[in-house]
Amino acid sequence: MVTAILDAQGYRTEMAPPGPDAGVDIIAGQGAMGFESPRLVVQVKSGDQRLDVSTLRELHGVMSRFNAQQGLLVSWGGFKDTLRREARPLYFQIRLWDARDVVNALLQYYDRLPEDLRAELPLKRIWTLVLEE
């Protein structure tokens, strides 16, 4: 799903093959071939545990090995406060996505997602009247 969202945002992506991924699940770049900046490495954790700083440090370390200017750390279970504090000075290098961020991105780019993914997640836009108090 994260790969599809990044594709919808205009990135060219490549997912790591099954097995050990050297700390990177997705590599992404802009442009027709994916060579243009920003170049991005992504680590995705789908468990329900909140991540600690070791995962952030690992991602930060592999960014240079992949020649990536930016990183994205995705955790469905969220992040411990210690990780969030350590990530703050890295704001222009690494972004954090928790479950809410993934859902928000999914909703924002839903119309651009592949048809097979939309078939698995059939959503329908509903307009509703908001009464002002």
Side-chain angles (χ1 to χ4, degrees), residues 4-107:
I5 292 168
L6 292 172
D7 289 338
Q9 291 177 338
Y11 284 94
R12 295 282 295 191
T13 59
E14 180 181 303
M15 288 182 52
D21 58 23
V24 174
D25 295 310
I26 304 166
I27 54 177
Q30 291 285 332
M33 303 266 311
F35 293 142
E36 297 176 27
S37 294
R39 289 186 296 269
L40 178 71
V41 291
V42 184
Q43 179 67 270
V44 179
K45 300 293 186 184
S46 59
D48 59 358
Q49 296 177 349
R50 294 182 343 154
L51 296 184
D52 64 14
V53 295
S54 63
T55 310
L56 175 69
R57 291 173 184 161
E58 179 184 339
L59 179 63
H60 192 233
V62 299
M63 285 170 57
S64 63
R65 190 167 32 150
F66 281 82
N67 198 24
Q69 297 97 355
Q70 297 171 328
L72 173 62
L73 183 55
V74 181
S75 173
W76 197 255
F79 306 98
K80 292 184 178 180
D81 292 339
T82 53
L83 184 148
R84 288 194 181 277
R85 281 193 298 274
E86 192 162 320
R88 184 144 170 42
L90 300 171
Y91 179 81
F92 294 109
Q93 293 175 301
I94 298 177
R95 291 299 163 91
L96 307 177
W97 277 9
D98 59 17
R100 182 182 336 188
D101 296 312
V102 173
V103 170
N104 286 341
L106 176 76
L107 295 175

